[in-house]
């Protein structure tokens, strides 16, 4: 069982799966402890040590030195201990070699099962650690199955399962088994079974952020910074950007020549989601006006204390400013952090007239 080929196999596993050889040896030693106890009915503390140089294994029993033995499996009397070595005294632990000549087939099979399980656990931990390091990245995945409204994917090249909850799916998208999709590694969480689970998303604002980082070299180089990004997946995204370099057009960099960059992002999102790229501004009034893009804004008045903004737009642009079901105004409010009340220009005239009449 323990020979040169055995240790060569461990070296091969280390190269192929990047599992440290020391970890595998620890798992194997634990497997042999389990097998020994099952085969020989041994309940006390034992340990197994593999020796690569001699290509052997040794099984050791750990026994406590006592005056009077009550449990022969875990204790040894002082007289017997001192027969082994006169230096032993009560309270010491005697380590005794109890290596059997050979394990039976059942014991070897038990050891094999434990070893394989430990190696699988190590591989899973390594992949999980890799996923933790790649949190916030976009990776390819294959749809493996669907359970109710939850989609389960396999992260390409890792055999790690990812779960995409309904809230992380784009309402307009359909996910079929064996589809290859890009997913955003959202977080690692504890599963109901006590293990870890990779949570992936296609609806997250972080997904769009990473797509822009991939498509726009100026963002990757730090010349353009994403200040904020808000999204209603499948419908609309608003992203505010800025550049400290006056020679760099932050919005133009994200749009690209003839819209090539932003269109590449839209294509990855399914081709239907609208994306508004606006330039960030320290002036709240100007920033709010830009955030309501593509609508034209005539006037913005703000209440700093309550963080409220009243916005006046042309009557014919009111529906564009508010958006379907209030979406454009709602996203603009999230982008800027201001409560935004959009009014048509005609109400401004009415308010002025009412104020005049009151006088």
């Amino acid at each position: 069982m323990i020979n040169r080929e055995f240790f060569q196999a461990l070296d091969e596993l280390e190269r192929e799966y990047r599992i440290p050889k020391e970890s595998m040896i620890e798992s194997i030693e634990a497997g042999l402890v389990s097998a020994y106890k099952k085969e020989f009915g041994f309940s006390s503390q034992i340990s197994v040590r593999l020796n690569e140089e001699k290509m052997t294994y040794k099984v050791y029993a750990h026994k406590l030195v006592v005056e009077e033995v009550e449990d022969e499996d875990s204790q040894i009397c002082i007289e017997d201990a001192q027969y082994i070595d006169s230096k032993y005294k009560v309270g010491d632990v005697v380590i005794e070699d109890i290596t059997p000549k050979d394990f039976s087939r059942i014991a070897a099979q038990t050891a094999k099962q434990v070893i394989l399980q430990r190696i699988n656990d190590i591989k899973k931990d390594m992949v999980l650690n890799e996923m933790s390091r790649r949190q916030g990245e976009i990776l390819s995945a294959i749809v493996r199955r669907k359970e109710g409204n939850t989609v389960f994917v396999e992260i390409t090249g890792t055999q790690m399962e990812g779960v995409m909850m309904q809230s992380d799916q784009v309402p307009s998208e359909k996910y079929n088994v064996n589809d290859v999709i890009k997913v955003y590694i959202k977080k690692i969480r504890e599963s109901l079974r006590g293990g870890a689970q990779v949570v992936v998303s296609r609806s997250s604002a972080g997904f769009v952020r990473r797509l822009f980082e991939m498509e726009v070299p100026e963002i990757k180089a730090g010349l353009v910074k994403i200040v904020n990004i808000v999204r209603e997946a499948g419908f609309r995204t608003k992203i505010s950007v800025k550049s400290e370099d006056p020679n760099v057009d932050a919005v133009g960099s994200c749009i690209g020549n003839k819209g090539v960059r932003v269109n590449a992002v839209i294509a990855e999102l399914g081709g239907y989601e609208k994306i508004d790229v606006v330039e960030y501004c320290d002036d709240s009034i100007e920033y709010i006006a830009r955030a309501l893009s593509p609508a034209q804004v005539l006037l913005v008045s703000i209440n700093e204390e309550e963080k409220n903004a009243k916005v006046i737009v042309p009557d014919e642009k009111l529906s564009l400013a508010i958006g379907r079901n209030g979406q454009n105004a709602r996203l603009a409010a999230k982008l800027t952090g201001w409560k935004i009340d959009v009014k048509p220009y005609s109400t401004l005239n009415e308010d002025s007239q009412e104020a005049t009449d009151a006088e």
Side-chain angles (χ1 to χ4, degrees):
M1 181 178 176
I2 306 297
N3 51 32
R4 188 176 302 279
E5 288 74 21
F6 172 80
F7 286 102
Q8 287 175 345
L10 295 186
D11 290 331
E12 184 63 30
L13 283 171
E14 185 174 38
R15 284 192 296 270
E16 185 175 354
Y17 296 106
R18 293 180 297 169
I19 304 175
K21 188 174 183 179
E22 293 76 13
S23 296
M24 285 189 287
I25 288 176
E26 287 176 8
S27 297
I28 291 166
E29 289 172 345
L32 293 176
V33 167
S34 176
Y36 185 92
K37 287 185 176 182
K38 183 174 181 179
E39 181 68 8
F40 297 99
F42 209 79
S43 61
S44 66
Q45 184 182 356
I46 65 169
S47 61
V48 174
R49 292 291 176 265
L50 299 185
N51 188 316
E52 184 172 0
E53 287 186 12
K54 297 180 179 179
M55 287 178 286
T56 60
Y57 67 88
K58 291 288 185 181
V59 182
Y60 298 102
H62 300 250
K63 294 187 176 183
L64 180 66
V65 179
V66 294
E67 291 284 358
E68 186 175 344
V69 174
E70 296 179 357
D71 180 1
E72 292 186 357
D73 282 347
S74 61
Q75 297 174 340
I76 184 172
C77 69
I78 184 63
E79 290 82 7
D80 290 343
Q82 290 181 342
Y83 180 77
I84 298 171
D85 190 328
S86 60
K87 294 180 181 179
Y88 280 123
K89 59 183 182 296
V90 173
D92 288 344
V93 175
V94 174
I95 299 177
E96 181 183 0
D97 186 346
I98 56 170
T99 307
K101 290 184 178 179
D102 195 12
F103 275 123
S104 70
R105 184 186 304 176
I106 295 175
Q109 184 62 31
T110 302
K112 180 181 177 182
Q113 290 173 354
V114 176
I115 291 166
L116 290 175
Q117 183 60 49
R118 292 297 181 91
I119 290 174
N120 284 335
D121 289 343
I122 291 170
K123 287 164 61 179
K124 285 181 181 178
D125 287 344
M126 291 184 66
V127 173
L128 196 59
N129 289 336
E130 176 68 16
M131 286 296 101
S132 295
R133 287 193 294 271
R134 304 195 71 173
Q135 188 169 321
E137 293 187 18
I138 292 175
L139 299 176
S140 291
I142 303 169
V143 177
R144 288 306 186 197
R145 71 183 194 280
K146 296 170 72 176
E147 293 181 7
N149 294 321
T150 303
V151 176
F152 293 88
V153 302
E154 179 186 322
I155 310 298
T156 305
T158 67
Q159 296 184 333
M160 175 62 72
E161 183 179 75
V163 58
M164 185 161 60
M165 310 298 288
Q166 187 174 16
S167 59
D168 285 309
Q169 300 167 30
V170 179
S172 57
E173 291 182 341
K174 300 296 180 185
Y175 308 103
N176 300 309
V177 174
N178 293 328
D179 281 353
V180 178
I181 60 176
K182 283 188 172 68
V183 294
Y184 176 75
I185 307 302
K186 189 175 178 181
K187 62 181 179 180
I188 310 298
R189 71 175 187 187
E190 291 294 319
S191 69
L192 295 175
R193 297 176 182 176
Q197 203 170 44
V198 181
V199 179
V200 301
S201 177
R202 280 186 59 84
S203 69
S204 161
F207 185 47
V208 180
R209 177 185 289 271
R210 290 300 273 176
L211 288 174
F212 269 102
E213 290 172 352
M214 292 162 65
E215 289 293 334
V216 182
E218 289 85 349
I219 293 178
K220 192 175 241 183
L223 297 174
V224 173
K225 293 183 179 178
I226 297 174
V227 178
N228 196 14
I229 181 167
V230 292
R231 184 185 185 201
E232 291 191 7
F235 300 99
R236 195 177 211 110
T237 288
K238 284 186 181 288
I239 174 173
S240 61
V241 295
K242 70 174 184 178
S243 175
E244 305 294 344
D245 188 337
N247 297 316
V248 176
D249 178 2
V251 173
S253 297
C254 294
I255 300 295
N257 186 30
K258 296 182 180 180
V260 64
R261 291 176 177 175
V262 73
N263 286 336
V265 173
I266 291 171
E268 181 53 47
L269 300 178
Y272 301 103
E273 191 165 327
K274 295 178 180 179
I275 297 180
D276 301 323
V277 183
V278 302
E279 187 171 7
Y280 173 78
C281 180
D282 289 327
D283 184 325
S284 298
I285 291 175
E286 180 63 27
Y287 188 33
I288 291 167
R290 293 175 183 179
L292 282 165
S293 172
Q296 177 189 355
V297 173
L298 300 176
L299 178 67
V300 178
S301 60
I302 61 174
N303 183 322
E304 291 277 3
E305 266 187 40
E306 298 180 5
K307 205 78 171 171
N308 286 337
K310 183 178 180 181
V311 179
I312 302 299
V313 300
D315 287 40
E316 67 275 13
K317 300 294 183 180
L318 180 63
S319 60
L320 181 63
I322 294 175
R324 181 179 296 180
N325 299 320
Q327 187 181 80
N328 193 58
R330 184 167 57 250
L331 286 174
K334 290 180 180 178
L335 188 73
T336 61
W338 285 77
K339 294 177 184 177
I340 298 176
D341 184 18
V342 182
K343 297 290 185 182
Y345 182 74
S346 57
T347 61
L348 183 64
N349 292 332
E350 290 172 7
D351 291 343
S352 299
Q353 184 60 49
E354 288 177 4
T356 301
D357 293 343
E359 290 176 3

